[in-house]
Amino acid sequence: MPETRPYNFSAGPAAIPDEVLRQAADEMLDWHGSGIGVMEMSHRGSHFGSIISQAESDLRELWAVPSDYAVLFMQGGALAHNALVPLNLSRGAKADYVLTGSWSRKSRNEAARYCDVQVAADNADAPGSIPPRAAWRLRDDAQYLHYCVNETIDGVEFAAPPADVGVPLVADVSSMVLSRPFEVAAHGCLYAGAQKNVGPAGLTLVIVRRDLLGHALPACPSALDYSVVAANGSMFNTPPTYAIYIAGLVFQWLKRQREGALGGIEAVAARNAAKAALLYDCIDTSALYVNRVDAACRSRMNVPFHLRDENLNAAFLDGAQSRGLLQLKGHKSVGGMRASIYNAMPLAGVRALVDYMRAFERDPVGAQRAECAS
Ligand SMILES: *Cc1c(COP(=O)(O)O)cnc(C)c1O
């Protein structure tokens, strides 16, 4: 195995901590003396039983999930849950949606197939901002209000959950889950595809307040009915066992993190804040790079930026690649660049990116040619 790896800025599937991958590699053929690997185990056996219950209790501890919430290990990705949320929680009635970027727009469009959807707020006229809470149109008889905490493509993040909405809040937390302490109890339901900040694709986390369960529409498949999945401990059918195992290793890794006096999620959040500050400062003090998101709602996880001279894009990406700074190309819908700096990205990775960005700005040709010294 390589001693060091390049820095991977992919938006998802994204980097997984080296320590986790090395442990998984060590345990690939023989998990804890069982003689078999995790991929080969019955999901109903005691070995996997201990893996999933440890993962659930670590997740509950890390994000302070109250006991009246069910934690579900499901499949389908966030986009399937764009349908499963209304199928499980809308009662076929009303649901309101806040639109702050590409992912919440997709959520709204999908939900409209299953219930009466109203747009509560929309930043289409002012991309990169969050419409002021006072201007939102809310229905007090809506079953829930949906928003996306961190828009992975647009780089727009809610610093705090919307206040005083009067109905259960439902949030897509795919690209910020476990990146900082979070007010789980202010929400009725959270869902996240794992492949951004938790582990491999194929696992979707759902955290849902139990009193909201039991009202799935008849068309909702049993295997995707949150109340059925909850009643069966995520084992109504075979869950994505290997992805759950890796997620569990990531949770253990998160619990081990230390930053000064801080531990666990607080340590990770402090590091994430430092990483984001470093990168935005580099962009804001530059004449070449620009990020157009309002300072108050800039994402700490996904930093999209453009080069003012778009003709330099290919040279920028080539130079980055040759220095071991990978997958910085922006989403096709917005172009430019995007640096995703999830939990697994160390501060040193962001420092290396910022050093390269400054060098490239001073001398695009030289920086593109220079090989990484290390
Ligand atoms: C990546 C992402 C999605 C899509 O997730 P899939 O797992 O591909 O369905 C949805 N919402 C957000 C916020 C995302 O970051």
Side-chain angles (χ1 to χ4, degrees), residues 273-342:
K275 282 150 51 183
L278 188 63
L279 185 48
Y280 284 116
D281 179 67
C282 167
I283 293 167
D284 292 344
T285 56
S286 132
L288 177 61
Y289 309 108
V290 57
N291 165 283
R292 298 195 178 87
V293 178
D294 284 0
C297 55
R298 279 176 161 183
S299 171
R300 282 158 275 192
M301 292 281 99
N302 310 96
V303 181
F305 60 94
H306 282 81
L307 276 58
R308 290 184 197 273
D309 179 356
E310 299 269 350
N311 295 318
L312 292 173
N313 283 353
F316 179 86
L317 289 167
D318 282 353
Q321 170 93 27
S322 70
R323 288 175 177 232
L325 305 169
L326 307 185
Q327 308 205 64
L328 283 161
K329 191 172 179 170
H331 190 270
K332 60 183 185 303
S333 65
V334 291
M337 308 298 154
R338 173 173 50 172
S340 295
I341 49 176
Y342 299 119

Side-chain angles (χ1 to χ4, degrees), residues 31 34 36-45 47-48 51 241:
W31 182 81
S34 64
I36 56 173
V38 175
M39 266 182 272
E40 309 167 295
M41 292 174 178
S42 166
H43 58 296
R44 302 199 187 279
H47 293 321
F48 188 73
I51 289 171
T241 54

Side-chain angles (χ1 to χ4, degrees), residues 32-283:
H32 295 201
S34 64
I36 56 173
V38 175
M39 266 182 272
E40 309 167 295
M41 292 174 178
S42 166
H43 58 296
R44 302 199 187 279
S46 64
H47 293 321
F48 188 73
S50 71
I51 289 171
I52 194 170
S53 65
Q54 186 68 48
E56 177 174 341
S57 72
D58 287 341
L59 173 58
R60 285 183 180 277
E61 182 185 329
L62 282 162
W63 238 19
V65 178
S67 58
D68 57 329
Y69 285 68
V71 168
L72 312 180
F73 294 96
M74 297 183 67
Q75 307 192 34
L79 290 196
H81 290 264
N82 280 344
L84 295 174
V85 163
L87 277 166
N88 279 284
L89 305 178
S90 76
R91 305 188 191 206
K94 298 176 184 175
D96 292 346
Y97 278 69
V98 178
L99 310 188
T100 52
S102 311
W103 291 120
S104 51
R105 276 174 229 289
K106 284 203 171 168
S107 299
R108 183 275 312 266
N109 292 345
E110 186 73 7
R113 301 172 60 184
Y114 304 101
C115 60
D116 165 6
V117 165
Q118 173 175 289
V119 173
D122 187 346
N123 74 349
D125 295 335
S129 70
I130 295 177
R133 169 68 191 81
W136 293 10
R137 293 166 57 231
L138 300 177
R139 297 180 293 187
D140 54 16
D141 57 347
Q143 297 300 311
Y144 61 82
L145 175 70
H146 178 285
Y147 75 114
C148 178
V149 181
N150 181 58
E151 287 279 3
T152 320
I153 294 173
D154 307 76
V156 172
E157 181 170 7
F158 281 81
D164 303 324
V165 296
V167 300
L169 271 176
V170 173
D172 179 351
V173 295
S174 294
S175 51
M176 58 69 68
V177 62
L178 297 174
S179 65
R180 56 180 163 98
F182 189 65
E183 301 83 341
V184 173
H187 297 80
C189 180
L190 307 170
Y191 62 98
Q195 70 274 21
K196 313 290 166 64
N197 216 7
V198 170
L203 167 65
T204 310
L205 301 175
V206 176
I207 300 174
V208 58
R209 216 173 63 210
R210 290 184 200 274
D211 66 345
L212 298 175
L213 296 177
H215 304 283
L217 298 179
C220 183
S222 305
L224 303 172
D225 178 328
Y226 292 169
S227 61
V228 172
V229 177
N232 288 278
S234 299
M235 304 256 198
F236 174 77
N237 68 333
T238 316
T241 54
Y242 196 74
I244 292 168
Y245 157 72
I246 298 285
L249 296 184
V250 170
F251 299 157
Q252 292 273 320
W253 176 84
L254 285 168
K255 287 174 64 177
R256 290 197 298 273
Q257 299 308 299
R258 293 285 174 273
E259 201 66 50
L262 303 174
I265 285 290
E266 266 101 18
V268 167
R271 199 182 302 156
N272 286 338
K275 282 150 51 183
L278 188 63
L279 185 48
Y280 284 116
D281 179 67
C282 167
I283 293 167

